[in-house]
Amino acid sequence: MEIDRMTTADAQSDSSHALGDTTAVGRLVTQMRQAIESGELRVGDKVATLRSLADQYDISFDAARGAIARLEKMGYLARKRGSGTFVADWQDRKHEQFNPSRLIQKKQQQKTVALLLDNKVHHYGRFYDHLMDCLQLGGFGTSVFTWHHGWGDDEMLPVLEKLEQDPPHTIVVQHLEGGRYYDALDKIARKHGVRVIFSFAGQHPTPDSWHCVLSDTNAAAAIATNHLLQKGHRRIGLVLHKRTISATEPASTRKRWVGHSGFILGAGQELRRHGMRHALKLHYHQRIDKITGSDAAHPLNRALAAQWLKESDCPTAFIGEDFRIAALLQVAKERNITLPDNFEVVGIGNTPWSTLMNFSSMWLREDLAAQHVLNLIQMSDTLFESVAHRIMLQPQLVKRP
């Protein structure tokens, strides 16, 4: 059983960040913070460049940048334009950050938030990083449970038992195994008065008592489609994962929400708005197995991508999640497939894949999602319970090159 569990009792000591984040960003934050607090790095010392940090700690440039940004927010570092980044007077700034006269009171700082995250959360942008930043600045400790596709009772029941024995202030859920454990989670939440916030995943049906902060995936696909139409494309491909159809479910929900219905509806409606029919072609990555899912980099799906690109009626433009578009472009490059001169792609997610491979992508605003989640966590009980909050964020197109 693989359960990443990290807990903390005192958020004011910042130990929550050290224990609650085992990513490359989190490890570098922990090591640098310890170096600063121990005096190895003193106030006024200049920090190494991002490239040097990446090489020194054997992490990506992006991870080094994220760690430095997080340490700045925590008050340990300060950036001086044109000069570099330096160790700040962190003791004074930290005292100011956690001053009891601020909105976040000490009692609230000691509360914990449980995060139930998809282990592929990085596919959906930097929601995890932004959320950890917000919780850190908000003074909340964290317990992180990272679930994997294919998990069943053997893996999930210990998580539910942990939440039952030590209920947190809030549980943030980022889609959980097709919703199979939502009822059990909702029962725990109602019993202990725990807030549940569903965030940054597809628009899945959730219990009525849950609160949601989502990005409008329909709008993301519609905006991407409109952009391509404005560029003159008349045949657009949509890259998706294999849709799951369960015969045991009611007809109204037989096609699961996780089947990218939002992307299909958004793109289709935009094409109809422009009076275009039969202009959308759906391309499905095959589901490899219960654990792997529809991995875009799997040899089977790479072969499918090559087949799509070689077809006589191959679309001149494609839309899909960043990692699927990146895999498509990589296949074209490795197999020397000649693409049309006007070939264009638009990703969904605005993740490092689109940045590194230099293609346009829809930014789902995970930064705003994380801030809204924090606002809901900090909200007074009266205001929080007065209405079921449903916050929908408008995505933005980031054009490249």
Side-chain angles (χ1 to χ4, degrees):
M1 177 175 64
E2 294 182 40
I3 303 178
D4 301 328
R5 285 186 265 188
M6 287 68 75
T7 60
T8 180
D10 187 357
Q12 191 167 355
S13 68
D14 285 333
S15 61
S16 63
H17 204 84
L19 296 175
D21 189 352
T22 58
T23 62
V25 172
R27 292 195 302 271
L28 180 54
V29 167
T30 298
Q31 293 178 38
M32 291 194 67
R33 194 196 67 208
Q34 291 174 345
I36 293 171
E37 292 183 349
S38 68
E40 181 180 347
L41 289 175
R42 300 181 179 181
V43 175
D45 284 353
K46 187 174 182 178
V47 177
T49 64
L50 295 178
R51 178 57 60 194
S52 297
L53 288 172
D55 293 340
Q56 179 182 349
Y57 291 93
D58 193 26
I59 60 177
S60 68
F61 180 89
D62 215 45
R65 180 170 58 186
I68 294 301
R70 188 175 293 176
L71 286 163
E72 284 185 72
K73 290 183 179 180
M74 293 166 65
Y76 286 98
L77 300 178
R79 185 177 303 175
K80 297 181 180 179
R81 186 180 297 273
S83 300
T85 302
F86 299 82
V87 177
D89 191 355
W90 57 276
Q91 290 179 317
D92 287 344
R93 295 181 67 177
K94 191 174 178 184
H95 173 75
E96 178 185 353
Q97 178 179 329
F98 291 101
N99 192 313
S101 64
R102 305 291 292 269
L103 289 175
I104 305 168
Q105 300 298 322
K106 182 176 181 180
K107 180 179 179 181
Q108 189 178 36
Q109 292 170 355
Q110 294 173 341
K111 293 180 179 179
T112 60
V113 176
L115 310 179
L116 273 64
L117 304 175
D118 183 344
N119 72 312
K120 297 179 181 178
V121 66
H122 59 285
H123 286 180
Y124 313 108
R126 298 178 181 173
F127 174 65
Y128 175 75
D129 290 333
H130 287 296
L131 185 56
M132 289 298 295
D133 286 341
C134 287
L135 293 174
Q136 177 66 39
L137 293 174
F140 288 90
T142 57
S143 296
V144 182
F145 301 89
T146 306
W147 71 272
H148 299 248
H149 285 278
W151 269 23
D153 289 349
D154 289 344
E155 294 83 9
M156 286 305 306
L157 290 181
V159 174
L160 296 173
E161 182 179 353
K162 171 67 176 177
L163 295 174
E164 174 73 45
Q165 294 175 349
D166 188 17
H169 174 270
T170 303
I171 299 174
V172 179
V173 182
Q174 189 262 321
H175 177 50
L176 189 59
E177 191 59 17
R180 289 193 293 118
Y181 296 94
Y182 287 175
D183 288 343
L185 195 61
D186 189 52
K187 184 177 180 180
I188 293 173
R190 289 177 180 274
K191 177 180 178 180
H192 298 285
V194 175
R195 300 181 180 187
V196 182
I197 302 172
F198 185 77
S199 184
F200 217 70
Q203 299 171 36
H204 306 263
T206 57
D208 293 338
S209 60
W210 291 14
H211 303 257
C212 299
V213 180
L214 304 170
S215 185
D216 192 340
T217 53
N218 290 45
I223 294 170
T225 300
N226 182 65
H227 168 73
L228 294 173
L229 291 176
Q230 296 301 321
K231 298 290 285 290
H233 296 281
R234 293 297 177 263
R235 182 75 167 163
I236 298 174
L238 194 56
V239 184
L240 310 158
H241 67 60
K242 184 70 174 180
R243 303 188 75 185
T244 302
I245 300 178
S246 174
T248 62
E249 294 179 357
S252 60
T253 59
R254 194 163 292 165
K255 289 184 177 180
R256 286 189 181 178
W257 293 73
V258 294
H260 290 77
S261 298
F263 294 163
I264 297 171
L265 291 173
Q269 289 167 356
E270 187 65 18
L271 287 170
R272 285 194 294 273
R273 192 174 70 85
H274 284 79
M276 300 183 64
R277 299 177 62 85
H278 311 297
L280 185 65
K281 188 173 184 179
L282 306 182
H283 299 271
Y284 289 105
H285 281 140
Q286 296 299 305
R287 187 172 185 264
I288 306 305
D289 54 50
K290 194 173 183 180
I291 303 299
T292 308
S294 55
D295 183 4
H298 189 276
L300 173 61
N301 285 322
R302 291 167 63 82
L304 279 175
Q307 178 182 324
W308 301 337
L309 294 172
K310 292 179 180 179
E311 291 174 343
S312 59
D313 62 343
C314 175
T316 58
F318 281 85
I319 299 170
E321 291 167 296
D322 276 6
F323 67 97
R324 299 190 188 280
I325 294 297
L328 186 74
L329 295 177
Q330 189 64 24
V331 166
K333 179 180 179 181
E334 292 177 353
R335 305 198 181 193
N336 295 315
I337 299 174
T338 301
L339 301 174
D341 292 338
N342 65 336
F343 186 82
E344 189 173 357
V345 298
V346 178
I348 295 178
N350 193 37
T351 66
W353 276 292
S354 58
T355 304
L356 292 173
M357 300 189 73
N358 199 33
F359 57 83
S360 299
S361 185
M362 294 302 306
W363 184 18
L364 299 179
R365 298 312 307 264
E366 62 272 19
D367 57 331
L368 293 181
Q371 186 59 59
H372 279 295
V373 168
L374 178 63
N375 291 342
L376 289 174
I377 293 172
Q378 294 177 320
M379 191 176 291
S380 68
D381 291 339
T382 301
L383 185 58
F384 184 84
E385 297 169 359
S386 63
V387 64
H389 297 85
R390 298 287 187 270
I391 300 172
M392 187 68 73
L393 303 174
Q394 180 73 4
Q396 296 178 8
L397 175 63
V398 177
K399 296 181 181 180
R400 301 185 183 93

